[in-house]
Amino acid sequence: MTKTLLHIDASVRRDGSATRGLTARIVERLDAARVLYRDLGAAPLPLIDDAWVSANFTPADARSEAQRATLALSDDLVAELAAADTIVIGLPVYNFSVPAGLKAWIDLIARAGVTFQYTENGPRGLLTGKRVIVAMASGGTTEGSDADFAARYLRFMLGFVGMDSVEFVAADSLATDADASLRSAQEAVERLAA
């Protein structure tokens, strides 16, 4: 049984969002003891800026109070990931890539020395041992196709911080056959091991 699940929605659509419907069903199916929720579409995160980068690259014990405050949200996002053993992410494909809100989240959680570290053998992710399920929806960008920059990017970034057990549930032909695409994705959700 999943103890702590982090549920992330990234669609800017509140009603009629395929990914919101799929992530809700996945979370329901997994029946976690505790669910943390982030809505990156309804409550967009700030973009990283010069102050954030400066604070992030200042050693933790040398940070000013203002720098600690600048990193507080990022620290909270990282803590949510660290606490979760399962992460469910809604990935609507916008213009062949991830939504801006999801990209902002990635920028805030990809931190050297915190979620990954550089070694003599290259970078090593520190958020290991987690299961990630991504509910992807697009009009016609097939998951894994040459035009699929969203799923490939998300899979790479999750692996970069240590989360390499990633499953995709795709409703990726909504513009051509929405009913069949959603039905196929819903069937995939029902096959997920709880």
Side-chain angles (χ1 to χ4, degrees), residues 24-41:
R25 181 61 191 120
I26 292 166
V27 170
E28 180 183 305
R29 175 149 178 75
L30 296 181
D31 192 31
R34 178 178 173 222
V35 176
L36 307 173
Y37 183 66
R38 277 280 167 189
D39 190 336
L40 306 178

Side-chain angles (χ1 to χ4, degrees), residues 91-100 102-103 137 141 147-151 153:
L91 173 61
V93 177
Y94 296 165
N95 300 313
F96 305 99
S97 191
V98 300
L102 187 55
K103 175 63 167 75
T141 302
D148 173 22
F149 302 104
Y153 170 73

Side-chain angles (χ1 to χ4, degrees), residues 22 25-26 29 135 169 184-193:
L22 289 170
R25 181 61 191 120
I26 292 166
R29 175 149 178 75
V169 171
S184 175
Q186 290 162 349
E187 289 168 359
V189 168
E190 297 310 312
R191 291 191 300 270
L192 289 172

Side-chain angles (χ1 to χ4, degrees), residues 58 62-69:
T58 299
R63 288 181 188 137
S64 68
E65 191 60 39
Q67 287 176 318
R68 284 192 289 279

Side-chain angles (χ1 to χ4, degrees), residues 58-127:
T58 299
D61 59 356
R63 288 181 188 137
S64 68
E65 191 60 39
Q67 287 176 318
R68 284 192 289 279
T70 296
L71 293 176
L73 174 60
S74 175
D75 290 339
D76 289 346
L77 298 173
V78 170
E80 289 172 352
L81 278 171
D85 53 305
T86 301
I87 297 101
V88 175
I89 301 173
L91 173 61
V93 177
Y94 296 165
N95 300 313
F96 305 99
S97 191
V98 300
L102 187 55
K103 175 63 167 75
W105 178 81
I106 290 167
D107 288 344
L108 289 165
I109 63 97
R111 293 175 56 190
V114 178
T115 57
F116 70 92
Q117 66 184 20
Y118 292 109
T119 71
E120 59 188 33
N121 299 320
R124 181 174 66 87
L126 302 175
L127 295 171

Side-chain angles (χ1 to χ4, degrees), residues 116-192:
F116 70 92
Q117 66 184 20
Y118 292 109
T119 71
E120 59 188 33
N121 299 320
R124 181 174 66 87
L126 302 175
L127 295 171
T128 59
K130 299 179 184 304
R131 178 186 188 192
V132 181
I133 303 168
V134 178
M136 174 181 166
S138 77
T141 302
T142 306
E143 189 231 333
S145 71
D146 288 344
D148 173 22
F149 302 104
R152 287 187 302 184
Y153 170 73
L154 185 58
R155 184 186 299 274
F156 175 84
M157 287 307 303
L158 292 170
F160 187 78
V161 296
M163 295 182 280
D164 52 13
S165 177
V166 181
E167 306 164 65
F168 277 82
V169 171
D172 52 11
S173 298
L174 294 174
T176 56
D177 192 345
D179 291 341
S181 189
L182 282 171
R183 187 170 45 255
S184 175
Q186 290 162 349
E187 289 168 359
V189 168
E190 297 310 312
R191 291 191 300 270
L192 289 172

